[in-house]
Structures are given as C-alpha cells and as structure tokens.
Amino acid sequence: AIGERRAKAERMFSLMDGFLKNDPLTLQKDILNHVEYTVARSRFSFDDFEAYQALSHSVRDRLIERWHDTHVYVKRTKPKRLYFLSLEFLMGRSLSNSVINLGIQDQYAEALSQLGFEFEVVAEQEGDAALGNGGLARLSACQMDSLATLDYPAWGYGLRYEYGLFRQIIVDGFQHEQPDYWLNYGNPWEIERIHVTYEVKFYGTVEEVEMNGEKHQVWVPGETVEAVAYDNPIPGYGTRNTINLRLWAAKPSNKFDLEAYNTGDYINSVVNRQRAETISNVLYPDDRNHQGKELRLKQQYFFVSASLQDIIRRFKEAHNNFDELPDKVALHLNDTHPSLSIAEIMRILVDEEHLVWNKAWDIACKVFSFTTHTVVAEGLEKIPVDLLGSLLPRHLQILYEINFKFMEELKKKIGLDYNRLSRMSIVEEGAVKSIRMANLSIVGSHAVNGVSKLHLDTLKMNTFKDFYELWPEKFQYKTNGVTQRRWIVVSNPSLCALISKWLGTEAWIRNADLLTGLRDLVDNTDFHQEWKMVKKVNKMRLAEYIETMSGVKVSLDAMFDVQVKRIHEYKRQLLNILGIIHRYDCIKNMDKNDRRKVVPRVCIIGGKAAPGYEIAKKIIKLSHAVAEKINNDTDIGDLLKLVFIPDYNVSVAELVIPGADLSQHLSTAGHEASGTGSMKFMMNGCLLLATADGSTIEIIEEIGSDNLFLFGAKVQEVAELREKGSTLKVPLQFARVLRMVRDGYFGHKDYFESLCDTVEIGNDFYLLGPDFGSYLEAQAAADKAFVEPEKWIKMSILSVAGSGRFSSDRTIQDYAERTWKIDPCRCPL
Ligand code: 9GP
C-alpha cells in the first residue's frame, strides 16, 4: 500500500509544473487566466475592479501553496502549537500586505503595468475586512503577521461576521451607521472549507445517567447549528511560513427536524433552520460593553465550541493521551470573549473523554493563558446566570463546580474572609446573579497578561489585586506592539525606501531593533533633506484625500495635527476640540503682527462612536460644528482648519498616519491599557502629544521625554484630583471655551448642553478642566518646535529610531518564550 501511495504521489508530482513561478510574464498569464476563468470576464476587456479580483486570486494561489507546505511541515515535525482565540480581527486590506510579505510586489507591479494597469490603483479597489472594533482587534491582526513572520506554529480562530464594523456616514455633522456587508463583492482571501464543519449545540437539558456504576452528566441539546470553516492564509515576511486564520460561519445543521416536516410545517421549519445563520451575522459595534445579550453569548460559545472541536480533533490525530495536551497545545484567550473555552474544555475532557475532574482541571490550567485589554473593573464582562443556564445548561453546572472547588481552595489559603471570597468568586451574587468572565479566566489560566507595564501595575493594585496577592507569579505584562510590515512597508513606501537606503539593509523589516541605527543619522543634513521630502509626499497624499472627502483645501505648510481612534470620553477628543476652540479664540483676538507668529494648523479628527453612546456622538457633532465655524471664517484663512475624517478604518489609517506631523493621545492617566495608535504614528516619524498613560510611559523610556510633548496629571495624581470634586481649580481659558459652546457660539446650544455638563467642575470625571492648562502648554511647545525644522526633524528621526521596541514581533517573541513556550518551526524553502 505504501508503494502504491508513493507511485501515486510521484505521478501527481510529475503532472505539476513545480511551484508557481513569480516572473512578471508568468504573473501576467496567471492574472489573465483568472480574469477569464475565475472572474469570468473577457481577458480583452476588464476594469480595475476585475483586475483586482484576478490579481488577488493569483496571489491567493501562491499563498495556498505556502500554506500547504507550512501545514504539512508542522504536521510532520509536531511542535507545540499555539491557538490564538479572538472574537475580533481587524485585518483591513490584504493585497499589498500579501505581495510584500511574499516578496513579489515589484514583479506584480511590472506584470500589471504591462497589462495597462497600475498596482496602486488596482489595490485601491479592495474593501476593508473590518471584523473588529478598535485597538484589541487591530492588535490581533498585527500579532498574526508577527506569528507568521517569526515562524511560530500558530493558528488564529475567530468568527466570520457577515456584517463587519458599521460604516460611519456623517449627515449634517451627525454620525449615522450603515451596515458593512463586506462580502458583497466576494472575498478572494478566504477558502471555504465545506468539509470542515462541526455541530455546535445550544439549550436543552442535562440528564444524569449511570455508566459502569458511575454517574455521568449528559447534555441533551435543544438546538444544533453547524459551524463551517473559512481559512484565511496569513503569510510571513521573508519566510515561506504561511499560517492560518480560521473563521467560523454559522449554517443550518443538516439534521432535519423530522417532526416539523412530518406535520407539514415545511415553510416554518426552513425559516427556523435559517435562523441559525444569524449567529455569525453581525459584529457587536461596542468595543467594551457586551453585557447580557443572548446573541453575543451564542456567538462566543459558537466560536469556542467549533474551535475546540477542531483543535482537539487535530490533537487526537497525532496523540492518544491527553496528558500530552499541555506540551503540544497552548490556547490563548484574547480578552474574556473566548473564556467559555475553559468550561468547554472541561466538558469535553470530563463528559466526552471521561477524564476525572482533577486531571482535566490540571490540564486546562496548563493550556490556557489570558490577556486582558481593559483597565477598569466595570468594563469586565459578566454573563447573567439565567441566560447562561438556559443557553448552556451543562456549562453552568461546570462553572459552578469550578467555582466551588476554587472557593474551597481559597478558604484554605485565606480563611473565612467573606468579603474577599465574594470579590474573587467566579459567580457574582446580587440583583442579577452573573458569571464573572475575568475571574474565570484568571482562575483557569496559568498566565494573566497586561498590555503595558502601567496596565499590569493597575491590574495588580486595583482591578485584580486579590488575585495578584494569591498568585503573583501568574501576572505578567507584554507591552503591545504593531507590525512594521503594515505600518511602514505597506503604508509608507517612501519612508521604507529611505530607511533601507540609509541603513544599507532591509533587515529591519524582520528585525525592528535595527531601526536604532537611525540614531547615527540624526545630525546628517543630507538625510534630513530626504526625510523632509518623504513627509511632504505623505502630506500631499493626505491633503488630496481631505479635499476629496470634505472639500476643505489645506496648506502643506501647516502642521498636520491628528487624533484618530474610537471616540470615548476617556480618550478625551473633547479636550482636543476645546483646545482648538481656544486656539481659534486666541487668533481672533490677535492683531496682524501677532497673527504672523501663529503656526498654521490643520487639525484632523476621526473615529467611530458606538451606536448607542450618546455623549460620543455629541463629540462628533461638536467637532463638525466647530469645523464649520472655523473653516468658513475667511479672516482666519489657513491659520487654522479642522477636518473630521469620516469612516476611520485600517485603510484610512494607512493614509492618515504617514501624513501626520503631530498626533494626540489624550486619555486621562490610568485609563488606556496600552494604546497602539501612538506606536504607528511614531514609526512614521510623527511626534506625539500625550499623557503619561498606557505604553506612552515605555515610549518615553525609549525616546526620552525631550522627543515628545507630555502633559497632564500623572496616574498617581488622578484619584486625589477626583476627590477634590467641586473645589477643583480649572483655568479661566477652560471656563471660557466651555461657555462659548454653552452659549451657542457653534449653534445647537441645547444639544451640546449635556455634553458640556460632563466636564463641568464637580462632574468632570475625566479631568479635562484640571489638565487643560498643561495641555495648552504642551501645544505651545509643539508650535515652538515646529518652527525650528531642524529640531523637529531630529525629534522625528529619533521617534522612528526608538520605535523598534514597539514592534509586535517583540511582543510575540516574548509571549512565545515566556507564556506559550513554543518554538519557531521554519518551513524549509
Ligand atoms: O483600550 C485598549 C487599548 O488601550 C489597547 O491598546 C488595545 C490592545 O491591547 O485594547 C484596547 N481595548 C479594546 O479594544 C477593548 O477592550
């Protein structure tokens, strides 16, 4: 039989032309073939979008080849594997990133140009895959890129939402949400795996049965849905390794509801089956509040169940003993969204594989690790027990059992300290009895990670203090990072070329620490000239975009000052807008002479507000109202402009970030777990104006406080300031600009009243008033530096030079070595 198999394999191999070739001529042929046979258009007549479709299919062929090789190699070498479980991945576009990582961008550009197309124009045809909300989701995408590049044997698991994050459209300055049915035009980057399906069960009852004289709990489900796998190959850079992001879609199960069919209720039974698909329909658009929604819980379990079935099946193919699971499998919980995995793995091991509880629990605790992305306890997920018990009755029993055993252990350690016991319990008693997902994740994981040093300190001292005191060794931090492949190579090709030219190598693309080499060039005036040109090119690109989007013409000589991120009170976009009003007010009151000294600014704000977050929506409206006033004031001219960039997403970020001179990160100290936008901006030579929050503290360690503009209360001062309440002193300028808004200077007097109330003395939780003075000082320092171009350029170079530490490669390597204990597994060329 082996001989037969080998003969067959040899024959197959002889039928192949070997691996796909990457010379421009072959690529042209491939593109044309895909135009004709995949897109089914005539190869003599196709447009940019059809060219994009054909091109991406030809790239996909190459990805699949490497994906297969990686898969086969990993299967053969059997290393310990990482499975990264995340309900959100904000991938953005794939084309440019893929051809760059495959190392065939130039060949494709040439191939397309010979066919009469331009690569950049064709690449613009791609829509964003927005299967996530904000920081957490984009971080997952960066980490996938790093896992592949560093050759780790890893897979991501998530959900294939049919509607990604809503599209933001602005009508009269108000945010409206439109569904993002991103699959409308097909998705060439995914591979539907019709043969990889699992049944996922919901509802029903638990029955006790006796087997071999022992009692067993058997879950008799009330509804079954099918999970179908969609694979998304993720190529590494400078390696053949291409890993997999497996996303699940819900389909009606093939099990027929015979009774319904027999009673002749055919239409209703089809409609009921169709309901199954709603599970993976839509991404929840709120980035931190998911409390108590049945569909959300269904999504979580659906993705957890399908992923674990898949992982366990793969493990069992190669092993016949669960003792080996912790040596072969690491399961990472990206926030609490996948934390039901802990109960699910216990159900599988105990109910299905018949392991004894303690053994199963020991295995579970060894395989799971957990990262939290939140700061405040109120932001942590809780699931009402009633909801969980009805949807997943067996899991509720398991969760109670986990908690019971944990509480017994705890009592032995801390005695009958009931307050502490109740704080640490997985089950929260109270008006709505709930399961605390963070407590579950901590109890069931061997490592709990914060996303910056400061974040970990906050977790240790406040949020998870009780747990830290119990298990100090579990708590670690891995400061976030972003991938330089996406955030320099793809989004800023001119800077990429400049860095490679002056460092004399492209090795920094795989090893961002090499960027420190730029420090040696900080005084080189030739280098400065080229640096300046790069920024100018990117500013031109951004200015064109702004004009197309908003009709506002902006001057390239102005400082481009950007704040783009989700709109949240704690991120303090309102502080920025009030600062802009102050600037406007000052200019209006200046004479001609003083106006000559003003540094012209283009203030750019962008970001989405969760659809139900009223105050955030008012902030968006205020920025439009202020923009209208300022931009139409001919007396001010180019001295100040304000633009709101609608529908901020990954591909818009790729355009905005390289063009920014200054970027603002204004969170009240202690509220941003890490922040990753700042890292992208610094990688692009943009200076930061920031509070000492999240990973900014580590950015300061790296580039020095002289190379950014720091302001605001420190984290240790925040509580004291809050305690002062209505006795707090705020600068007169703050009271003045707030009054302008209240008095209707920008219209909509009544509408903005409640927004102004949130920052009035005594009510100002995020401390805009107390921080306003130092904010204005930092802004003044930025103006001063901007008019000394040499100084500004040096600061800009040093920012990029110090950004290597904030590469997601560093983060991932740290996780791999200290938490997951996995080794690279590099597929031979
Ligand atoms: O708010 C945090 C942000 O500070 C952090 O950088 C990011 C990645 O760790 O996660 C964000 N959290 C979320 O997006 C949702 O909690």
Side-chain angles (χ1 to χ4, degrees), residues 266-381:
Y266 170 74
I267 297 293
N268 259 336
S269 73
V270 171
V271 169
N272 280 343
R273 275 160 48 82
Q274 218 53 43
R275 258 191 340 164
E277 293 191 31
T278 55
I279 293 181
S280 55
N281 259 1
V282 58
L283 165 82
Y284 274 88
D286 194 325
D287 58 345
R288 48 204 70 225
N289 186 8
H290 309 290
Q291 318 290 5
K293 308 206 175 65
E294 189 186 35
L295 179 60
R296 172 79 184 179
L297 181 61
K298 265 189 145 173
Q299 290 186 338
Q300 293 189 351
Y301 181 66
F302 173 76
F303 133 77
V304 156
S305 165
S307 307
L308 285 184
Q309 289 185 63
D310 199 36
I311 292 164
I312 297 283
R313 176 198 51 77
R314 193 169 306 114
F315 173 79
K316 281 169 78 171
E317 265 172 24
H319 309 87
N320 46 22
N321 187 341
F322 279 100
D323 289 345
E324 282 184 88
L325 195 74
D327 298 328
K328 290 294 173 188
V329 169
L331 295 175
H332 192 71
L333 305 171
N334 195 33
D335 220 288
T336 53
H337 317 152
S339 300
L340 278 173
S341 306
I342 297 172
E344 174 66 358
I345 212 159
M346 288 302 288
R347 192 191 63 79
I348 295 174
L349 295 181
V350 174
D351 293 2
E352 293 180 1
E353 303 292 340
H354 305 297
L355 264 63
V356 294
W357 179 279
N358 287 350
K359 178 147 192 118
W361 182 245
D362 183 50
I363 292 174
C365 294
K366 283 182 182 152
V367 294
F368 284 110
S369 54
F370 164 57
T371 293
T372 173
H373 298 263
T374 318
V375 174
V376 284
E378 302 86 85
L380 300 172
E381 234 179 339

Side-chain angles (χ1 to χ4, degrees), residues 106-124:
D106 293 344
Q107 293 89 318
Y108 264 119
E110 196 183 327
L112 274 180
S113 123
Q114 287 178 13
L115 293 172
F117 291 86
E118 213 180 307
F119 185 87
E120 284 72 24
V121 176
V122 171
E124 279 293 310

Side-chain angles (χ1 to χ4, degrees), residues 134-136 139 287-288 335 373-374 451 480 570 672-676:
L136 169 152
L139 183 78
D287 58 345
R288 48 204 70 225
D335 220 288
H373 298 263
T374 318
V451 289
N480 285 341
Y570 86 84
E672 192 70 89
S674 160
T676 45

Side-chain angles (χ1 to χ4, degrees), residues 372-375 449-459 673:
T372 173
H373 298 263
T374 318
V375 174
N449 291 280
V451 289
S452 70
K453 186 169 185 310
L454 181 66
H455 183 215
L456 179 68
D457 290 343
T458 315
L459 298 178

Side-chain angles (χ1 to χ4, degrees), residues 561-691:
D561 158 358
V562 178
Q563 188 184 21
V564 279
K565 46 184 86 224
R566 283 300 284 252
I567 312 286
H568 263 285
E569 283 160 282
Y570 86 84
K571 292 182 191 277
R572 301 201 292 190
Q573 281 91 353
L574 185 54
L575 181 64
N576 186 2
I577 300 170
L578 295 176
I580 293 168
I581 297 176
H582 173 75
R583 183 175 287 267
Y584 175 63
D585 189 35
C586 290
I587 300 173
K588 289 297 279 180
N589 291 313
M590 279 177 190
D591 61 25
K592 267 196 181 149
N593 251 346
D594 283 342
R595 282 194 184 186
R596 257 185 236 125
K597 293 179 212 145
V598 170
V599 178
R601 287 241 191 171
V602 176
C603 301
I604 298 161
I605 300 179
K608 295 180 184 179
Y613 191 172
E614 272 310 310
I615 292 295
K617 288 184 148 179
K618 289 191 180 202
I619 293 174
I620 293 179
K621 174 63 187 170
L622 181 62
S623 88
H624 282 90
V626 174
E628 195 176 326
K629 181 95 187 171
I630 295 176
N631 298 346
N632 292 319
D633 188 341
T634 46
D635 174 43
I636 294 286
D638 274 347
L639 289 184
L640 186 61
K641 291 274 180 261
L642 169 57
V643 250
F644 186 92
I645 297 213
D647 203 33
Y648 180 65
N649 58 20
V650 178
S651 45
V652 173
E654 286 172 31
L655 194 98
V656 171
I657 293 173
D661 292 306
L662 182 78
S663 77
Q664 303 201 34
H665 307 276
L666 312 181
S667 54
T668 316
H671 284 264
E672 192 70 89
S674 160
T676 45
S678 49
M679 300 167 182
K680 297 163 199 165
F681 280 102
M682 78 186 283
M683 274 187 181
N684 281 276
C686 166
L687 304 194
L688 310 181
L689 190 148
T691 49

Side-chain angles (χ1 to χ4, degrees), residues 84 349 388 438 593 656 700 767:
F84 187 87
L349 295 181
L388 208 143
N593 251 346
V656 171
I700 298 168
L767 305 173

